[in-house]
Amino acid sequence: MNTLIFPNSNLYETGYCVIFVRAIPPTEALSRIPYDKSEVVDLDRSELDAIKELGSEVDQDDVLGVDFDGLENSGILDSRGPLLRSGSHAGCTFIVEPEGPFLAQEEVLKAVSRGTSALLAQVSETAAAWIFYAEDGEILSSFDPLFPDSDFGKQPTVLEGLTGYRRAIDSGERADAYENSLRQIQESLEYAMPATVDAPRLPSVRVPNGY
């Protein structure tokens, strides 16, 4: 897989969930998640990783450049739930969760996709992968790219018609089914973006009761 494209396993070695959605900005995308959340704090990936690992034990030296008093008061140091960051590129917003699997809950994707369309890509620490596609609160595709005939969405033909991802699977090695199908889908839906979009400080929240 081209490591210059976001997401990829070099950025998130222990897995990830990423939602791509159009027509809404990052802070609104985060606000649509149907759970109570911390206040929004701008964090880069290394700062988020430090908070994820240390929780309330994090100190100023771990997150240089962040308003530490504001961080402590935001609720983001609560270690009971997932940490999410959201950014945008070329009119497309993404929400990323290191490791997962909170974002892969159907109720989350349905809420984020209302009034627009959304793609979710999930890879677990064991490299198991799944792809979802939703439009206006309805999940139209939900499948493991290794077994594309078993799609649990309501209208599987929609995503295939928009992207032709089955040809990408059939023309490559079976072991590359996830990478090939995701790339074809991202490029066809204009969700493809460079990995650098995940580098700067981005709006971030904690979902304390998300698990």
Side-chain angles (χ1 to χ4, degrees):
M1 186 174 185
N2 184 345
T3 57
L4 298 179
I5 298 297
F6 174 79
N8 66 68
S9 58
N10 285 3
L11 295 176
Y12 296 96
E13 294 179 355
T14 56
Y16 59 80
C17 282
V18 179
I19 291 177
F20 298 94
V21 60
R22 288 207 169 276
I24 57 175
T27 52
E28 182 180 343
L30 291 173
S31 73
R32 289 189 176 196
I33 292 169
Y35 287 79
D36 291 334
K37 295 170 284 293
S38 71
E39 295 179 11
V40 175
V41 177
D42 287 349
L43 298 170
D44 66 25
R45 190 171 63 247
S46 64
E47 291 162 347
L48 181 135
D49 287 345
I51 293 169
K52 187 174 187 299
E53 180 179 349
L54 299 172
S56 61
E57 300 301 315
V58 73
D59 62 34
Q60 180 69 66
D61 291 337
D62 299 310
V63 287
L64 294 173
V66 177
D67 176 0
F68 196 71
D69 289 337
L71 188 69
E72 289 185 306
N73 294 330
S74 70
I76 207 167
L77 299 184
D78 187 324
S79 60
R80 293 174 296 165
L83 282 163
L84 314 174
R85 293 169 68 242
S86 186
S88 62
H89 175 77
C92 178
T93 287
F94 66 89
I95 307 171
V96 59
E97 175 193 8
E99 296 181 4
F102 169 75
L103 285 179
Q105 297 180 81
E106 290 192 358
E107 63 184 296
V108 174
L109 184 60
K110 289 177 179 179
V112 172
S113 70
R114 288 197 178 99
T116 183
S117 59
L119 173 72
L120 186 147
Q122 178 188 17
V123 176
S124 73
E125 187 173 5
T126 62
W130 206 269
I131 292 174
F132 301 79
Y133 177 71
E135 292 182 354
D136 196 18
E138 296 288 342
I139 296 177
L140 305 185
S141 275
S142 172
F143 64 97
D144 179 342
L146 289 175
F147 305 99
D149 290 331
S150 298
D151 191 314
F152 300 95
K154 291 189 173 182
Q155 297 183 54
T157 57
V158 171
L159 184 61
E160 168 60 17
L162 290 171
T163 68
Y165 74 86
R166 293 292 296 270
R167 292 191 299 275
I169 293 176
D170 294 341
S171 63
E173 298 293 330
R174 188 170 187 270
D176 298 326
Y178 169 73
E179 288 86 354
N180 291 340
S181 58
L182 179 61
R183 183 55 39 76
Q184 179 67 28
I185 292 168
Q186 283 187 278
E187 291 178 351
S188 298
L189 298 180
E190 298 183 341
Y191 289 157
M193 55 184 67
T196 52
V197 300
D198 192 42
R201 287 196 174 96
L202 299 173
S204 306
V205 297
R206 172 84 76 173
V207 186
N209 298 308
Y211 293 136

